Amino acid sequence: MPPRALEAVRIESNEDPADFEAKNVHEIYDAIASHFSSTRYKPWPIIAKFLSDLPTGWVGFDSGTGNGKYLPLPADRPGAIWTIGMDRSRNLLDIARRAGEGKVVREVVWGNVLDNPWRPNAFDYAISIATIHHLATHERRKLAVQRLIQAVSADHGRVLIYVWAIEQDELSKRKVSVEDDPEANEKGKDVMVPWVLSKTLAKPSPETSQPEVYNRYYHMFAKGELAALASDAAKDLGLSVGSRESCSSTPGVEIVQEGWERSNYYVELRRWSK
Amino acid sequence: MVRLITHNLLGCHVKNCNANNFPLEFKNARVELVEAEFNPDFLRNFLPKIEWKALVDTARQLGDTSLPVEQPEMVDDDFLKALHHVLLEVHVEEGAMVCPNCKHEYPISNGIPNMVRSYSFEGYNTDPLTIPTKLLAEHEIA
């Protein structure tokens, strides 16, 4: 099947972005939860490595945990670190509770990534995988990054963020057209991504027949956009951006890696103080 | 399964509720005890990051008095086993968590706490540009 061009979407200025996300993201995940979860089982290598490199005794949270597939990691040292999952979809959380092998129950919290329900700087690390691209404005995406930065230790906190990229690779089922949208290569592009619900996994609904296709809102990130967003988010919190050695004012955040992997952009941040 | 490890990390995040908002107090808690794998290395390294008084007080409210009021100087296996049980084996399945300051209730259903605060109802999102500054004033970065 050739990749399918995604439909562009424009969020009207009079539209409440929270309502827009409720309708075009949260409700959709609640409806497609079990089918969605069945397609998300393989951890991305860079994320698995990030978790596997963390010291024993570290505690973190996964903002937008979905079906919780990262909660049981690292596979070779189960229980060495403790990741708490948070998601806005209650139906996905019921799945995330049982993520991984055996009868182990995971810790999950029902919350919005813009919420700040944590004791400040309580965590050693935070991950947010394929989540921030569901927020409908630049300011809200920035706030979501700030939530991650605020939740981790000012001395050693680590943050890993993944979002979908405009640049989809040859294995992707999707493509983002930018020819008619010159700004997209700089600012990213707002699109609707269809989800075709498998009938067998759909939640039975006796009264109404379930629609087959659900459209989820995504902001597809442009090259460099995620690192710039993270850097702005940190600066707005009054933090220096750069390495501990290179910055004169403390505390700060360093971007330790960024890149593109299989249709996603990622960035890893580390907090430091001196 | 709000375990006490999670409870020790959560705080109230109602708008303008910035003091005395930790720890949340359990209300009508239905507790289940579920065995978990004992990992002493995890506990030893996590220990310095625990808000100890909050953990001990909350455990006592739930009827578990196995932890000392002060962290012991000697961390032995008996202590780690008691800590393991309190942190990781006590699950609050139903009930609520109540903020000691503003009394907001966060309900717990089927082991999942509802920490969702809707920005629509908080009046934050009428102008998205105002979100960060407003919230920053409330939660200064330590």
Side-chain angles (χ1 to χ4, degrees):
Chain A
M1 203 168 62
R4 184 170 166 173
L6 297 173
E7 178 201 345
V9 61
R10 203 181 124 90
I11 299 142
E12 299 303 329
S13 57
N14 62 357
E15 187 152 21
D16 182 337
D19 291 344
F20 180 86
E21 288 158 12
K23 196 168 119 226
N24 295 291
V25 181
H26 310 153
E27 285 177 18
I28 310 290
Y29 277 110
D30 273 335
I32 69 175
S34 59
H35 182 206
F36 173 81
S37 175
S38 70
T39 65
R40 298 291 192 280
Y41 49 88
K42 220 177 157 182
W44 289 94
I46 288 174
I47 304 162
K49 179 166 187 336
F50 173 87
L51 294 170
S52 159
D53 288 347
L54 297 175
T56 296
W58 276 30
V59 171
F61 86 107
D62 181 2
S63 182
T65 193
N67 66 357
K69 72 171 174 220
Y70 294 106
L71 303 183
L73 298 187
D76 58 336
R77 282 186 304 145
I81 62 171
W82 196 275
T83 312
I84 297 174
M86 181 169 87
D87 206 276
R88 185 60 186 77
S89 163
R90 189 61 172 67
N91 291 349
L92 279 173
L93 287 179
D94 282 330
I95 297 167
R97 284 187 84 183
R98 305 282 168 192
E101 308 274 310
K103 285 189 176 166
V104 181
V105 182
R106 311 292 163 191
E107 286 291 284
V108 297
V109 168
W110 192 11
N112 189 309
V113 297
L114 299 178
D115 288 331
N116 196 13
W118 312 110
R119 177 154 70 70
N121 311 106
F123 291 100
D124 301 298
Y125 63 96
I127 60 174
S128 184
I129 311 303
T131 299
I132 287 171
H133 54 213
H134 286 311
L135 294 163
T137 69
H138 175 80
E139 288 304 321
R140 292 167 74 82
R141 293 188 284 274
K142 186 161 78 180
L143 182 61
V145 176
Q146 290 176 329
R147 292 295 181 233
L148 301 170
I149 295 173
Q150 288 171 309
V152 300
S153 157
D155 296 319
H156 63 260
R158 296 190 200 175
V159 174
L160 182 67
I161 304 169
Y162 263 66
V163 292
W164 279 16
I166 282 184
E167 292 80 11
Q168 296 282 303
D169 71 7
E170 72 288 349
L171 293 171
S172 175
K173 292 178 288 224
R174 302 163 281 269
K175 72 171 182 193
V176 183
S177 119
V178 290
E179 291 83 38
D180 53 341
D181 190 353
E183 279 194 329
N185 284 322
E186 217 175 291
K187 293 185 172 171
K189 187 163 172 127
D190 293 329
V191 297
M192 297 307 262
V193 178
W195 183 270
V196 182
L197 193 67
S198 152
K199 286 289 180 200
T200 49
L201 283 158
K203 241 187 165 175
S205 162
E207 295 97 42
T208 53
S209 62
Q210 293 260 351
E212 211 177 73
V213 180
Y214 289 85
N215 284 304
R216 280 170 303 162
Y217 164 78
Y218 277 79
H219 174 79
M220 308 296 274
F221 274 69
K223 189 170 191 211
E225 189 187 352
L226 178 62
L229 181 76
S231 167
D232 285 351
K235 282 180 193 154
D236 285 0
L237 291 172
L239 301 171
S240 299
V241 177
S243 68
R244 185 196 305 256
E245 295 72 32
S246 70
C247 295
S248 54
S249 78
T250 181
V253 168
E254 182 179 2
I255 295 177
V256 292
Q257 58 165 337
E258 59 169 306
W260 179 92
E261 184 195 36
R262 294 281 323 275
S263 310
N264 293 269
Y265 284 116
Y266 63 90
V267 65
E268 181 186 342
L269 313 173
R270 283 196 202 183
R271 293 197 60 172
W272 53 262
S273 56
K274 49 184 171 187
Chain B
M1 37 81 266
V2 182
R3 279 180 254 202
L4 295 196
I5 187 172
T6 304
H7 173 267
N8 203 258
L9 297 159
L10 287 170
C12 180
H13 62 122
V14 165
K15 189 184 175 187
N16 297 330
C17 179
N18 337 310
N20 186 34
N21 58 356
F22 172 87
L24 303 173
E25 290 162 4
F26 283 112
K27 182 182 162 187
N28 301 331
R30 185 167 69 75
V31 173
E32 271 177 34
L33 302 178
V34 182
E35 253 182 66
E37 189 132 338
F38 179 57
N39 188 331
D41 290 339
F42 170 81
L43 294 167
R44 243 182 238 110
N45 294 339
F46 179 57
L47 185 57
K49 293 176 273 195
I50 297 172
E51 284 288 334
W52 189 255
K53 188 177 181 317
L55 181 68
V56 173
D57 289 352
T58 306
R60 289 181 180 210
Q61 280 160 25
L62 296 178
D64 189 305
T65 55
S66 60
L67 293 179
V69 175
E70 302 285 334
Q71 272 190 36
E73 277 175 35
M74 234 270 286
V75 174
D76 59 17
D77 241 31
D78 282 348
F79 168 71
L80 287 177
K81 282 192 171 138
L83 178 62
H84 167 74
H85 177 71
V86 168
L87 271 183
L88 302 175
E89 296 189 324
V90 178
H91 296 233
V92 176
E93 286 290 322
E94 303 287 335
M97 291 180 288
V98 184
C99 174
N101 181 42
C102 75
K103 308 298 174 197
H104 182 79
E105 286 196 14
Y106 297 94
I108 301 165
S109 157
N110 195 27
I112 300 179
N114 180 354
M115 303 303 290
V116 176
R117 301 290 301 152
S118 168
Y119 289 92
S120 297
F121 301 115
E122 294 293 300
Y124 276 121
N125 66 343
T126 43
D127 177 6
L129 286 170
T130 64
I131 295 174
T133 41
K134 271 191 186 173
L135 292 174
L136 276 187
E138 294 166 21
H139 296 281
E140 257 181 66
I141 284 259

